[in-house]
Amino acid sequence: MEFHGPGCASLTSIQPLMTSIIQAFLLTAASMLAAPSQSIDIVFAGDAMQHQRQIDAARQPDGSYDYTPYYKAIQPYIASADYAVVNLETPLGGAPYSGYPMFCAPDSYLSALKDAGFDLILTANNHALDRRDKGLRRTVSTIQDMGLPWIGTYCNAAQRAEVLPRIIDVQGFKIAFLNYTYGTNGITIQGDAIVDHIDRTLMTRDISEARKAGAEIVAVAVHWGDEYHLLPNESQRSLADFLTDQGVDLIIGGHPHVIQPMEIRHSDRHDKDVFLCYSLGNFISGMRKTDTRGGATARITLTRDSLGHAVVDKATYRMVFVLPPDHTCSNFRLISSEQDTPPEMTTARDAFVRNARAIFDRHNVHVPLDTVSLWDYNTRMMIQQCSLPDSISQ
């Protein structure tokens, strides 16, 4: 049926016109992106967990595992960034799969992260050796097979030397990424595999090598802190100060499974601003305690100063919340915390948000809540997808 109103064309004639207008807009925006950028956005997400409840919900009648619904609601936020990073806190060790305390996820779990828009995988965490050396090597090879870069664990010293410094050219910004963990739950390496542990001598050397190799920005992701504590401990604060003094630009924390404060601090030694997040908390998990049901993401804007130097410009955070399976969906899903939730999850969502906001409002320094709508991020994502050249090189 066609609707004809006074002075109006039919809907069928309007639709092709609107499509053409949208396509023209996106192509124009994409051509603008093709030029060297003076600012970029980097998104960091927290711990991507895989508990038994998640494995059971993802299992299909044919024995496969489907994670398609996981990140659909927040994909625009992730994919609209110029580069996105997530901590994979489970080995991809092959069947049989298992949750806590010895994690092992299907390969399709990583596929879902890639499809959501993540560009770099962090692997140095306390569960890196849950399937021992063999699981570590299989995890690395699976990430490689999917065409994703990673940092934190390596099959041997030769591979580490080949991978590091991991410098990614994102629209002309040369960013080095490093990743370290406090430990591996007491499990020791039996062969020649490598897990990068927190070691100030090692970190100093890696940071120096990254600068020598041309890194303009150095980002260090650290697995540290006390689980379920909403504030950092003295060890975290000390290491953050050390990394700041070493000239690091971005310090991203994980492991506590709950959020901790963020700040933009000024380094007097290097006369520049540094972004610090003590903990992003869980990205997605099967945990059910109030503060573990969600987490935060950080969006950092890098720009160039009057001399052309890459610098941290600003940062925002966004809260995410995990929806368990219900009558509308048999799988877990991640949403932005302001999105609608099923009535039975509203109380849990509100409690998580209330506690997280209390910490952020009291302790964050120059890192406000991200108020950009997901609709706007969806538009940005579409523009990114229309961008003609590949703006990322490794």
Side-chain angles (χ1 to χ4, degrees):
M1 177 183 295
E2 296 182 0
F3 173 76
H4 295 269
C8 296
S10 70
L11 290 178
T12 53
S13 64
I14 289 176
Q15 287 172 345
L17 175 62
M18 292 303 297
T19 299
S20 298
I21 291 173
I22 293 172
Q23 289 175 338
F25 166 75
L26 293 175
L27 288 172
T28 300
S31 66
M32 295 172 63
L33 285 176
S37 178
Q38 292 302 305
S39 68
I40 59 170
D41 284 355
I42 310 294
V43 162
F44 288 88
D47 301 339
M49 310 290 293
Q50 183 67 176
H51 290 89
Q52 191 62 49
R53 297 172 64 218
Q54 296 168 268
I55 296 172
D56 294 342
R59 184 178 174 85
Q60 302 300 298
D62 64 359
S64 64
Y65 292 84
D66 179 24
Y67 297 95
T68 304
Y70 262 45
Y71 309 114
K72 279 188 175 181
I74 62 161
Q75 182 185 11
Y77 173 83
I78 300 165
S80 63
D82 297 290
Y83 206 71
V85 184
V86 66
N87 174 43
L88 177 67
E89 192 149 357
T90 174
L92 305 172
Y97 308 117
S98 56
Y100 181 83
M102 304 294 284
F103 291 110
C104 184
D107 296 351
S108 52
Y109 185 65
L110 177 63
S111 298
L113 290 169
K114 180 180 180 179
D115 292 344
F118 286 106
D119 303 292
L120 176 68
I121 305 300
L122 307 176
T123 58
N125 54 67
N126 57 305
H127 292 286
L129 292 175
D130 280 7
R131 286 295 174 94
R132 305 308 195 270
D133 296 34
K134 182 179 179 181
L136 182 154
R137 287 193 293 270
R138 190 183 184 284
T139 301
V140 167
S141 65
T142 301
I143 295 172
Q144 287 181 297
D145 290 345
M146 289 196 189
L148 289 167
W150 85 101
I151 49 169
T153 60
Y154 311 93
C155 295
N156 49 50
Q159 185 181 62
R160 187 184 193 277
E162 179 182 352
V163 169
L164 296 184
R166 174 74 82 184
I167 299 178
I168 309 294
D169 186 327
V170 184
Q171 295 192 29
F173 287 78
K174 293 180 173 57
I175 308 170
F177 293 92
L178 299 167
N179 182 208
Y180 308 90
T181 180
Y182 74 92
T184 52
N185 293 342
I187 303 172
T188 57
I189 290 173
Q190 301 302 309
D192 55 356
I194 291 177
V195 178
D196 276 349
H197 287 76
I198 295 171
D199 177 301
R200 296 193 182 198
T201 300
L202 173 66
M203 298 166 98
T204 299
R205 183 170 67 245
D206 289 345
I207 293 165
S208 176
E209 290 300 318
R211 293 295 187 191
K212 290 178 184 177
E216 299 178 281
I217 296 288
V218 175
V220 177
V222 195
H223 213 67
W224 59 1
D226 298 321
E227 290 185 334
Y228 315 118
H229 286 236
L230 292 166
L231 293 176
N233 61 31
E234 186 53 41
S235 176
Q236 288 171 275
R237 295 182 186 277
S238 174
L239 185 57
D241 291 343
F242 169 79
L243 292 172
T244 300
D245 287 343
Q246 294 302 309
V248 171
D249 301 274
L250 310 176
I251 305 168
I252 313 295
H255 174 63
H257 300 304
V258 296
I259 60 91
Q260 292 180 346
M262 310 178 192
E263 64 183 71
I264 290 183
R265 52 166 54 185
H266 189 76
S267 169
D268 292 332
R269 173 177 293 186
H270 300 279
D271 191 23
K272 66 179 181 180
D273 287 341
V274 176
F275 174 79
L276 164 64
C277 174
Y278 284 108
S279 175
L280 289 169
N282 288 334
F283 186 51
I284 195 165
S285 78
M287 293 185 174
R288 287 179 266 196
K289 293 182 179 179
T290 297
D291 296 327
T292 66
R293 284 185 175 272
T297 56
R299 195 178 194 98
I300 302 104
T301 299
L302 305 179
T303 190
R304 295 193 180 278
D305 63 17
S306 60
L307 298 177
H309 300 147
V311 294
V312 174
D313 180 37
K314 59 185 178 181
T316 58
Y317 74 89
R318 199 175 197 98
M319 290 174 288
V320 293
F321 184 76
V322 180
L323 296 179
D326 59 24
H327 68 281
T328 65
C329 181
S330 61
N331 214 328
F332 284 75
R333 293 154 291 159
L334 191 67
I335 63 170
S336 191
S337 65
E338 79 280 4
Q339 291 180 281
D340 291 338
T341 59
E344 64 272 18
M345 292 304 300
T346 301
T347 299
R349 188 274 312 274
D350 291 350
F352 162 75
V353 170
R354 182 170 57 252
N355 291 357
R357 280 299 299 268
I359 292 294
F360 290 142
D361 290 349
R362 176 174 295 184
H363 298 282
N364 276 19
V365 180
H366 306 309
V367 183
L369 176 68
D370 184 345
T371 58
V372 177
S373 72
L374 288 177
W375 173 262
D376 287 341
Y377 280 126
N378 188 66
T379 301
R380 296 187 193 182
M381 179 181 70
M382 294 171 66
I383 293 172
Q384 293 276 38
Q385 292 171 346
C386 286
S387 183
L388 298 179
D390 185 355
S391 58
I392 298 174
S393 60
Q394 303 167 26

